[in-house]
Amino acid sequence: MRTYKANYHTHCDLCKHAKGSIEDYVLKAIEHGFDAIGITDHAPFDFLNERSVRMTSEEYPEYIRQLKHAIVHYLDFILIYRGLEIEYFNGYHKHYESLLEHLDYLILGQHYIEKEGELLSVYKIKSIEDMQIYKETLIKAMHTGYFKIIAHPDIFLINQGQISDEMKAISREIIQTAKKTDTILEINANGFRKKKHQVDGQYYMAYPRIEFWKIVKEENARAMINADAHDPNQLVDQAIELAYEFARHLSIAVEEELVLD
Ligand SMILES: [Zn+2]
Ligand SMILES: [Zn+2]
């Protein structure tokens, strides 16, 4: 039984690919009796403007305004946290720090890696070399202390069928760093909403990948289930149930309340 109901990975229509305003998500969460909700739309990041659909820097004050409004308005009903989901790249520490001035936390959602000066979508990661870059990026990010949660940390396995020992070793390094830096790894329920994809005639989930989460259990790292909601109805849906089933199956004790310092 869930004693504390919350979701800490929630988008809104400012990113232009999610449905509903911040208020729509807050109202839906209240309707379902949530104790807390963390709003974490895709962060403005001028560096990625050409690649990725999200709010612009000009729209960011509006995001903060809507958050403030919701916090004040629904104070008696639900705890609302201010967050963003963002990628990590070297040389942008000032950007993370200035965002954090008005926020409670950041989620690392590494959707791109930097390879030979070019951006490569994580959905295209296939080689061990690319996986190493992904791993190094996450490890660096975790050591900065800017990120409370890592969204879908296992996304780098997306094009894989069998998970090799080398891939498991990469997974373990990510997981051990999360443990060392006290970062929470996210079982992303969106993976259960996506179609399975075919590799070598077999069907696999994009994420979560069980091989990764078995190591999370072995290492006893921190874990949490999040909706990654792009629609208010995704705050409570079958995918969330399946994600809890997945964690139970692996005996992973997921955290339900985000404690912020
Ligand atoms: Zn999104
Ligand atoms: Zn997300």
Side-chain angles (χ1 to χ4, degrees), residues 52-104:
S52 151
V53 189
R54 54 179 68 209
M55 76 176 89
T56 62
S57 298
E58 290 70 36
E59 289 165 324
Y60 184 56
E62 173 60 17
Y63 181 66
I64 296 298
R65 194 197 64 74
Q66 285 187 27
L67 277 172
K68 260 192 202 147
H69 174 266
I71 290 167
V72 173
H73 215 80
Y74 299 104
L75 192 67
D76 293 336
F77 304 97
I78 192 166
L79 256 169
I80 302 173
Y81 293 106
R82 303 161 302 169
L84 282 171
E85 177 180 16
I86 191 166
E87 291 77 1
Y88 177 77
F89 294 107
N90 283 328
Y92 289 91
H93 286 213
K94 277 212 180 101
H95 186 47
Y96 304 113
E97 275 165 27
S98 79
L99 291 172
L100 276 166
E101 276 176 31
H102 303 280
L103 300 175
D104 299 304

Short mmCIF file of all heavy atoms in Angstrom, two decimals, residues 52-104:
data_model
loop_
_atom_site.label_atom_id
_atom_site.label_comp_id
_atom_site.label_asym_id
_atom_site.label_seq_id
_atom_site.Cartn_x
_atom_site.Cartn_y
_atom_site.Cartn_z
N SER A 52 15.39 20.38 -29.90
CA SER A 52 14.42 19.80 -29.00
C SER A 52 13.28 20.77 -28.72
O SER A 52 13.50 21.96 -28.54
CB SER A 52 15.20 19.41 -27.75
OG SER A 52 14.45 19.44 -26.60
N VAL A 53 12.04 20.27 -28.75
CA VAL A 53 10.86 21.11 -28.54
C VAL A 53 10.63 21.28 -27.05
O VAL A 53 10.41 20.31 -26.33
CB VAL A 53 9.60 20.47 -29.18
CG1 VAL A 53 8.44 21.45 -29.16
CG2 VAL A 53 9.89 20.00 -30.59
N ARG A 54 10.68 22.51 -26.59
CA ARG A 54 10.54 22.80 -25.16
C ARG A 54 10.27 24.28 -24.97
O ARG A 54 10.24 25.02 -25.94
CB ARG A 54 11.83 22.43 -24.45
CG ARG A 54 13.06 23.08 -25.08
CD ARG A 54 14.33 22.74 -24.36
NE ARG A 54 14.68 21.34 -24.49
CZ ARG A 54 15.38 20.67 -23.57
NH1 ARG A 54 15.79 21.25 -22.47
NH2 ARG A 54 15.69 19.41 -23.76
N MET A 55 10.05 24.72 -23.73
CA MET A 55 9.82 26.15 -23.51
C MET A 55 11.10 26.93 -23.82
O MET A 55 12.21 26.40 -23.68
CB MET A 55 9.37 26.42 -22.06
CG MET A 55 10.46 26.34 -21.01
SD MET A 55 9.88 26.78 -19.35
CE MET A 55 9.33 25.19 -18.71
N THR A 56 10.93 28.16 -24.26
CA THR A 56 12.09 29.00 -24.54
C THR A 56 12.47 29.77 -23.27
O THR A 56 11.68 29.82 -22.32
CB THR A 56 11.76 30.02 -25.65
OG1 THR A 56 10.70 30.86 -25.17
CG2 THR A 56 11.32 29.32 -26.93
N SER A 57 13.63 30.38 -23.31
CA SER A 57 14.06 31.21 -22.17
C SER A 57 13.07 32.33 -21.92
O SER A 57 12.84 32.73 -20.78
CB SER A 57 15.44 31.80 -22.43
OG SER A 57 16.36 30.77 -22.57
N GLU A 58 12.47 32.84 -23.01
CA GLU A 58 11.49 33.92 -22.89
C GLU A 58 10.23 33.44 -22.18
O GLU A 58 9.54 34.22 -21.53
CB GLU A 58 11.11 34.49 -24.26
CG GLU A 58 12.20 35.29 -24.99
CD GLU A 58 13.36 34.41 -25.48
OE1 GLU A 58 13.11 33.26 -25.91
OE2 GLU A 58 14.51 34.89 -25.41
N GLU A 59 9.91 32.16 -22.34
CA GLU A 59 8.70 31.62 -21.72
C GLU A 59 8.92 31.21 -20.25
O GLU A 59 7.96 30.97 -19.52
CB GLU A 59 8.20 30.40 -22.52
CG GLU A 59 7.60 30.79 -23.85
CD GLU A 59 7.44 29.61 -24.81
OE1 GLU A 59 8.29 28.70 -24.82
OE2 GLU A 59 6.45 29.62 -25.56
N TYR A 60 10.17 31.13 -19.85
CA TYR A 60 10.47 30.62 -18.51
C TYR A 60 9.82 31.45 -17.39
O TYR A 60 9.25 30.85 -16.45
CB TYR A 60 11.99 30.53 -18.33
CG TYR A 60 12.40 29.94 -17.01
CD1 TYR A 60 11.95 28.68 -16.61
CD2 TYR A 60 13.24 30.64 -16.15
CE1 TYR A 60 12.33 28.14 -15.39
CE2 TYR A 60 13.62 30.10 -14.93
CZ TYR A 60 13.16 28.86 -14.55
OH TYR A 60 13.52 28.33 -13.34
N PRO A 61 9.84 32.80 -17.45
CA PRO A 61 9.17 33.57 -16.38
C PRO A 61 7.69 33.21 -16.23
O PRO A 61 7.15 33.21 -15.13
CB PRO A 61 9.34 35.03 -16.83
CG PRO A 61 10.55 35.02 -17.71
CD PRO A 61 10.52 33.69 -18.42
N GLU A 62 7.05 32.85 -17.35
CA GLU A 62 5.65 32.45 -17.31
C GLU A 62 5.49 31.13 -16.54
O GLU A 62 4.53 30.95 -15.78
CB GLU A 62 5.11 32.33 -18.75
CG GLU A 62 3.71 31.77 -18.90
CD GLU A 62 2.63 32.58 -18.20
OE1 GLU A 62 2.87 33.75 -17.84
OE2 GLU A 62 1.53 32.01 -17.99
N TYR A 63 6.43 30.23 -16.73
CA TYR A 63 6.43 28.95 -16.01
C TYR A 63 6.51 29.21 -14.49
O TYR A 63 5.71 28.67 -13.72
CB TYR A 63 7.64 28.13 -16.48
CG TYR A 63 7.81 26.76 -15.85
CD1 TYR A 63 6.88 25.75 -16.09
CD2 TYR A 63 8.92 26.46 -15.06
CE1 TYR A 63 7.05 24.48 -15.54
CE2 TYR A 63 9.10 25.21 -14.51
CZ TYR A 63 8.17 24.21 -14.76
OH TYR A 63 8.34 22.95 -14.22
N ILE A 64 7.44 30.07 -14.12
CA ILE A 64 7.63 30.40 -12.69
C ILE A 64 6.37 31.09 -12.15
O ILE A 64 5.94 30.82 -11.02
CB ILE A 64 8.89 31.29 -12.51
CG1 ILE A 64 10.14 30.50 -12.91
CG2 ILE A 64 9.02 31.81 -11.08
CD1 ILE A 64 10.42 29.25 -12.08
N ARG A 65 5.78 31.97 -12.97
CA ARG A 65 4.57 32.67 -12.54
C ARG A 65 3.42 31.68 -12.29
O ARG A 65 2.75 31.74 -11.26
CB ARG A 65 4.16 33.69 -13.62
CG ARG A 65 3.11 34.70 -13.15
CD ARG A 65 2.43 35.43 -14.31
NE ARG A 65 1.66 34.52 -15.16
CZ ARG A 65 0.48 33.99 -14.83
NH1 ARG A 65 -0.08 34.27 -13.67
NH2 ARG A 65 -0.15 33.17 -15.66
N GLN A 66 3.25 30.74 -13.23
CA GLN A 66 2.18 29.74 -13.07
C GLN A 66 2.42 28.84 -11.85
O GLN A 66 1.47 28.46 -11.16
CB GLN A 66 2.09 28.86 -14.32
CG GLN A 66 1.43 29.56 -15.50
CD GLN A 66 1.20 28.60 -16.67
OE1 GLN A 66 1.06 27.40 -16.51
NE2 GLN A 66 1.17 29.16 -17.88
N LEU A 67 3.68 28.52 -11.61
CA LEU A 67 4.01 27.70 -10.44
C LEU A 67 3.64 28.42 -9.15
O LEU A 67 3.01 27.87 -8.26
CB LEU A 67 5.50 27.35 -10.43
CG LEU A 67 5.93 26.17 -11.29
CD1 LEU A 67 7.45 26.08 -11.34
CD2 LEU A 67 5.36 24.87 -10.74
N LYS A 68 4.07 29.69 -9.09
CA LYS A 68 3.79 30.50 -7.89
C LYS A 68 2.29 30.59 -7.65
O LYS A 68 1.82 30.45 -6.52
CB LYS A 68 4.33 31.93 -8.10
CG LYS A 68 5.65 32.14 -7.43
CD LYS A 68 6.00 33.64 -7.42
CE LYS A 68 7.50 33.79 -7.26
NZ LYS A 68 8.03 34.95 -7.97
N HIS A 69 1.57 30.84 -8.71
CA HIS A 69 0.12 30.96 -8.61
C HIS A 69 -0.49 29.67 -8.05
O HIS A 69 -1.31 29.70 -7.12
CB HIS A 69 -0.48 31.29 -9.98
CG HIS A 69 -1.98 31.27 -9.97
ND1 HIS A 69 -2.71 30.15 -10.32
CD2 HIS A 69 -2.88 32.21 -9.62
CE1 HIS A 69 -4.00 30.42 -10.18
NE2 HIS A 69 -4.13 31.66 -9.77
N ALA A 70 -0.06 28.53 -8.59
CA ALA A 70 -0.60 27.24 -8.13
C ALA A 70 -0.25 26.98 -6.66
O ALA A 70 -1.09 26.51 -5.89
CB ALA A 70 -0.07 26.12 -9.02
N ILE A 71 0.97 27.29 -6.30
CA ILE A 71 1.41 27.05 -4.91
C ILE A 71 0.54 27.84 -3.93
O ILE A 71 0.05 27.30 -2.93
CB ILE A 71 2.91 27.42 -4.74
CG1 ILE A 71 3.79 26.40 -5.49
CG2 ILE A 71 3.30 27.48 -3.26
CD1 ILE A 71 5.23 26.81 -5.66
N VAL A 72 0.32 29.11 -4.24
CA VAL A 72 -0.47 29.97 -3.35
C VAL A 72 -1.93 29.52 -3.34
O VAL A 72 -2.56 29.42 -2.29
CB VAL A 72 -0.35 31.45 -3.80
CG1 VAL A 72 -1.29 32.33 -2.99
CG2 VAL A 72 1.09 31.92 -3.65
N HIS A 73 -2.44 29.23 -4.52
CA HIS A 73 -3.85 28.91 -4.67
C HIS A 73 -4.26 27.59 -4.02
O HIS A 73 -5.37 27.46 -3.51
CB HIS A 73 -4.15 28.86 -6.17
CG HIS A 73 -5.51 29.35 -6.51
ND1 HIS A 73 -5.81 30.69 -6.61
CD2 HIS A 73 -6.66 28.68 -6.75
CE1 HIS A 73 -7.08 30.82 -6.91
NE2 HIS A 73 -7.63 29.62 -6.99
N TYR A 74 -3.38 26.60 -4.07
CA TYR A 74 -3.74 25.24 -3.62
C TYR A 74 -2.98 24.81 -2.36
O TYR A 74 -2.92 23.62 -2.04
CB TYR A 74 -3.55 24.24 -4.77
CG TYR A 74 -4.42 24.58 -5.94
CD1 TYR A 74 -3.89 25.17 -7.08
CD2 TYR A 74 -5.80 24.38 -5.88
CE1 TYR A 74 -4.71 25.53 -8.14
CE2 TYR A 74 -6.63 24.73 -6.93
CZ TYR A 74 -6.08 25.30 -8.06
OH TYR A 74 -6.89 25.66 -9.11
N LEU A 75 -2.44 25.79 -1.69
CA LEU A 75 -1.66 25.62 -0.46
C LEU A 75 -2.30 24.67 0.55
O LEU A 75 -1.63 23.84 1.16
CB LEU A 75 -1.52 27.02 0.17
CG LEU A 75 -0.58 27.27 1.30
CD1 LEU A 75 0.85 27.10 0.78
CD2 LEU A 75 -0.73 28.72 1.77
N ASP A 76 -3.59 24.77 0.71
CA ASP A 76 -4.29 23.98 1.73
C ASP A 76 -4.56 22.54 1.27
O ASP A 76 -5.00 21.71 2.06
CB ASP A 76 -5.64 24.62 2.07
CG ASP A 76 -5.46 25.95 2.77
OD1 ASP A 76 -4.38 26.15 3.37
OD2 ASP A 76 -6.37 26.79 2.70
N PHE A 77 -4.33 22.26 0.00
CA PHE A 77 -4.72 20.96 -0.55
C PHE A 77 -3.56 20.05 -0.91
O PHE A 77 -3.68 18.83 -0.85
CB PHE A 77 -5.60 21.16 -1.79
CG PHE A 77 -6.80 22.01 -1.51
CD1 PHE A 77 -6.80 23.37 -1.79
CD2 PHE A 77 -7.93 21.44 -0.92
CE1 PHE A 77 -7.91 24.15 -1.52
CE2 PHE A 77 -9.04 22.22 -0.64
CZ PHE A 77 -9.03 23.58 -0.93
N ILE A 78 -2.46 20.63 -1.31
CA ILE A 78 -1.35 19.80 -1.83
C ILE A 78 -0.03 20.58 -1.74
O ILE A 78 -0.03 21.80 -1.85
CB ILE A 78 -1.64 19.37 -3.29
CG1 ILE A 78 -0.68 18.29 -3.77
CG2 ILE A 78 -1.65 20.57 -4.25
CD1 ILE A 78 -1.12 17.60 -5.05
N LEU A 79 1.03 19.81 -1.55
CA LEU A 79 2.37 20.41 -1.56
C LEU A 79 2.84 20.45 -3.01
O LEU A 79 2.83 19.41 -3.68
CB LEU A 79 3.32 19.49 -0.81
CG LEU A 79 3.76 19.87 0.59
CD1 LEU A 79 4.49 18.68 1.21
CD2 LEU A 79 4.67 21.09 0.56
N ILE A 80 3.24 21.59 -3.49
CA ILE A 80 3.71 21.69 -4.88
C ILE A 80 5.18 22.07 -4.88
O ILE A 80 5.58 23.05 -4.26
CB ILE A 80 2.89 22.74 -5.66
CG1 ILE A 80 1.40 22.37 -5.64
CG2 ILE A 80 3.41 22.86 -7.10
CD1 ILE A 80 0.49 23.45 -6.25
N TYR A 81 5.98 21.25 -5.59
CA TYR A 81 7.40 21.55 -5.72
C TYR A 81 7.69 22.08 -7.11
O TYR A 81 7.08 21.66 -8.09
CB TYR A 81 8.24 20.30 -5.44
CG TYR A 81 8.16 19.86 -4.01
CD1 TYR A 81 7.43 18.73 -3.66
CD2 TYR A 81 8.80 20.58 -3.00
CE1 TYR A 81 7.35 18.32 -2.34
CE2 TYR A 81 8.72 20.18 -1.68
CZ TYR A 81 7.99 19.05 -1.35
OH TYR A 81 7.89 18.65 -0.05
N ARG A 82 8.66 22.98 -7.15
CA ARG A 82 9.04 23.59 -8.43
C ARG A 82 10.30 22.92 -8.96
O ARG A 82 11.34 22.94 -8.29
CB ARG A 82 9.34 25.09 -8.21
CG ARG A 82 8.19 25.87 -7.60
CD ARG A 82 8.68 27.18 -6.99
NE ARG A 82 9.71 26.90 -5.97
CZ ARG A 82 10.49 27.81 -5.42
NH1 ARG A 82 10.40 29.07 -5.76
NH2 ARG A 82 11.39 27.48 -4.52
N GLY A 83 10.19 22.35 -10.12
CA GLY A 83 11.36 21.68 -10.69
C GLY A 83 11.45 21.85 -12.19
O GLY A 83 10.62 22.52 -12.82
N LEU A 84 12.48 21.26 -12.76
CA LEU A 84 12.64 21.20 -14.21
C LEU A 84 13.38 19.90 -14.54
O LEU A 84 14.15 19.40 -13.72
CB LEU A 84 13.50 22.37 -14.73
CG LEU A 84 12.87 23.75 -14.87
CD1 LEU A 84 13.97 24.77 -15.18
CD2 LEU A 84 11.80 23.79 -15.95
N GLU A 85 13.15 19.42 -15.75
CA GLU A 85 13.93 18.29 -16.27
C GLU A 85 14.92 18.87 -17.27
O GLU A 85 14.53 19.66 -18.13
CB GLU A 85 13.00 17.28 -16.96
CG GLU A 85 13.77 16.12 -17.59
CD GLU A 85 12.84 15.10 -18.28
OE1 GLU A 85 11.67 15.42 -18.53
OE2 GLU A 85 13.33 13.99 -18.55
N ILE A 86 16.17 18.48 -17.15
CA ILE A 86 17.19 19.10 -18.00
C ILE A 86 18.36 18.14 -18.25
O ILE A 86 18.61 17.24 -17.45
CB ILE A 86 17.69 20.43 -17.36
CG1 ILE A 86 18.55 21.24 -18.32
CG2 ILE A 86 18.40 20.18 -16.02
CD1 ILE A 86 18.78 22.69 -17.88
N GLU A 87 19.06 18.35 -19.35
CA GLU A 87 20.24 17.58 -19.70
C GLU A 87 21.46 18.20 -19.02
O GLU A 87 21.43 19.37 -18.65
CB GLU A 87 20.48 17.61 -21.21
CG GLU A 87 19.45 16.86 -22.03
CD GLU A 87 18.12 17.60 -22.20
OE1 GLU A 87 17.99 18.74 -21.68
OE2 GLU A 87 17.20 17.04 -22.81
N TYR A 88 22.52 17.42 -18.93
CA TYR A 88 23.78 17.97 -18.43
C TYR A 88 24.80 18.09 -19.55
O TYR A 88 25.02 17.14 -20.30
CB TYR A 88 24.38 17.09 -17.31
CG TYR A 88 25.72 17.62 -16.86
CD1 TYR A 88 25.79 18.73 -16.02
CD2 TYR A 88 26.91 17.07 -17.32
CE1 TYR A 88 27.01 19.27 -15.64
CE2 TYR A 88 28.14 17.59 -16.95
CZ TYR A 88 28.19 18.69 -16.11
OH TYR A 88 29.38 19.23 -15.75
N PHE A 89 25.40 19.26 -19.64
CA PHE A 89 26.55 19.45 -20.53
C PHE A 89 27.60 20.27 -19.80
O PHE A 89 27.26 21.15 -19.00
CB PHE A 89 26.13 20.17 -21.82
CG PHE A 89 25.20 19.34 -22.66
CD1 PHE A 89 23.86 19.67 -22.75
CD2 PHE A 89 25.65 18.23 -23.35
CE1 PHE A 89 22.98 18.90 -23.51
CE2 PHE A 89 24.79 17.45 -24.10
CZ PHE A 89 23.45 17.78 -24.18
N ASN A 90 28.86 19.95 -20.10
CA ASN A 90 29.97 20.71 -19.51
C ASN A 90 29.84 22.18 -19.85
O ASN A 90 29.42 22.52 -20.96
CB ASN A 90 31.30 20.23 -20.11
CG ASN A 90 31.73 18.91 -19.51
OD1 ASN A 90 31.45 18.65 -18.33
ND2 ASN A 90 32.38 18.09 -20.31
N GLY A 91 30.23 23.02 -18.93
CA GLY A 91 30.32 24.45 -19.25
C GLY A 91 29.03 25.23 -19.05
O GLY A 91 28.97 26.41 -19.39
N TYR A 92 28.01 24.59 -18.52
CA TYR A 92 26.74 25.30 -18.32
C TYR A 92 26.36 25.41 -16.84
O TYR A 92 25.18 25.59 -16.52
CB TYR A 92 25.61 24.62 -19.12
CG TYR A 92 25.79 24.83 -20.60
CD1 TYR A 92 26.51 23.91 -21.37
CD2 TYR A 92 25.30 25.97 -21.22
CE1 TYR A 92 26.71 24.12 -22.73
CE2 TYR A 92 25.50 26.20 -22.57
CZ TYR A 92 26.21 25.26 -23.31
OH TYR A 92 26.41 25.48 -24.65
N HIS A 93 27.34 25.34 -15.98
CA HIS A 93 27.05 25.35 -14.54
C HIS A 93 26.27 26.61 -14.12
O HIS A 93 25.41 26.55 -13.26
CB HIS A 93 28.33 25.19 -13.73
CG HIS A 93 28.85 23.78 -13.78
ND1 HIS A 93 29.50 23.18 -12.75
CD2 HIS A 93 28.79 22.85 -14.78
CE1 HIS A 93 29.82 21.93 -13.09
NE2 HIS A 93 29.40 21.72 -14.32
N LYS A 94 26.60 27.73 -14.75
CA LYS A 94 25.89 28.98 -14.41
C LYS A 94 24.40 28.85 -14.73
O LYS A 94 23.56 29.39 -14.01
CB LYS A 94 26.47 30.16 -15.21
CG LYS A 94 27.71 30.75 -14.59
CD LYS A 94 27.78 32.27 -14.87
CE LYS A 94 29.02 32.87 -14.25
NZ LYS A 94 30.10 33.10 -15.25
N HIS A 95 24.09 28.17 -15.82
CA HIS A 95 22.69 27.98 -16.22
C HIS A 95 21.95 27.16 -15.15
O HIS A 95 20.86 27.55 -14.72
CB HIS A 95 22.63 27.28 -17.58
CG HIS A 95 21.25 27.17 -18.16
ND1 HIS A 95 20.37 28.23 -18.21
CD2 HIS A 95 20.58 26.11 -18.70
CE1 HIS A 95 19.23 27.83 -18.75
NE2 HIS A 95 19.33 26.55 -19.05
N TYR A 96 22.56 26.07 -14.70
CA TYR A 96 21.91 25.24 -13.67
C TYR A 96 21.72 26.03 -12.38
O TYR A 96 20.68 25.95 -11.74
CB TYR A 96 22.71 23.96 -13.39
CG TYR A 96 22.96 23.14 -14.65
CD1 TYR A 96 24.23 22.98 -15.17
CD2 TYR A 96 21.88 22.56 -15.33
CE1 TYR A 96 24.45 22.26 -16.34
CE2 TYR A 96 22.09 21.84 -16.50
CZ TYR A 96 23.38 21.70 -17.00
OH TYR A 96 23.58 21.00 -18.15
N GLU A 97 22.76 26.80 -12.05
CA GLU A 97 22.67 27.57 -10.80
C GLU A 97 21.61 28.64 -10.88
O GLU A 97 20.87 28.87 -9.91
CB GLU A 97 24.04 28.16 -10.46
CG GLU A 97 24.86 27.14 -9.69
CD GLU A 97 26.34 27.46 -9.59
OE1 GLU A 97 26.71 28.65 -9.65
OE2 GLU A 97 27.12 26.50 -9.47
N SER A 98 21.51 29.30 -12.04
CA SER A 98 20.50 30.37 -12.12
C SER A 98 19.09 29.77 -12.14
O SER A 98 18.17 30.33 -11.56
CB SER A 98 20.75 31.30 -13.31
OG SER A 98 20.30 30.70 -14.49
N LEU A 99 18.93 28.60 -12.75
CA LEU A 99 17.61 27.95 -12.72
C LEU A 99 17.25 27.56 -11.28
O LEU A 99 16.11 27.76 -10.83
CB LEU A 99 17.59 26.69 -13.61
CG LEU A 99 17.68 26.91 -15.12
CD1 LEU A 99 17.85 25.59 -15.85
CD2 LEU A 99 16.46 27.66 -15.66
N LEU A 100 18.22 27.03 -10.57
CA LEU A 100 17.95 26.55 -9.20
C LEU A 100 17.59 27.68 -8.24
O LEU A 100 17.00 27.43 -7.18
CB LEU A 100 19.14 25.74 -8.68
CG LEU A 100 19.13 24.27 -9.11
CD1 LEU A 100 20.49 23.61 -8.85
CD2 LEU A 100 18.03 23.48 -8.40
N GLU A 101 17.93 28.91 -8.60
CA GLU A 101 17.56 30.05 -7.73
C GLU A 101 16.06 30.11 -7.48
O GLU A 101 15.62 30.57 -6.44
CB GLU A 101 18.00 31.37 -8.38
CG GLU A 101 19.44 31.72 -8.10
CD GLU A 101 19.85 32.99 -8.84
OE1 GLU A 101 18.99 33.87 -9.04
OE2 GLU A 101 21.04 33.07 -9.22
N HIS A 102 15.27 29.68 -8.49
CA HIS A 102 13.81 29.76 -8.34
C HIS A 102 13.15 28.40 -8.21
O HIS A 102 11.94 28.29 -8.34
CB HIS A 102 13.20 30.50 -9.55
CG HIS A 102 13.76 31.86 -9.73
ND1 HIS A 102 13.33 32.93 -9.00
CD2 HIS A 102 14.75 32.32 -10.54
CE1 HIS A 102 14.03 34.00 -9.36
NE2 HIS A 102 14.89 33.65 -10.29
N LEU A 103 13.96 27.36 -8.03
CA LEU A 103 13.40 26.01 -8.03
C LEU A 103 13.77 25.23 -6.78
O LEU A 103 14.69 25.58 -6.06
CB LEU A 103 13.93 25.23 -9.25
CG LEU A 103 13.63 25.79 -10.63
CD1 LEU A 103 14.34 24.94 -11.68
CD2 LEU A 103 12.14 25.83 -10.92
N ASP A 104 13.04 24.13 -6.59
CA ASP A 104 13.35 23.23 -5.48
C ASP A 104 14.30 22.12 -5.89
O ASP A 104 15.09 21.63 -5.10
CB ASP A 104 12.04 22.62 -4.95
CG ASP A 104 11.10 23.69 -4.44
OD1 ASP A 104 11.53 24.48 -3.57
OD2 ASP A 104 9.96 23.79 -4.95
#
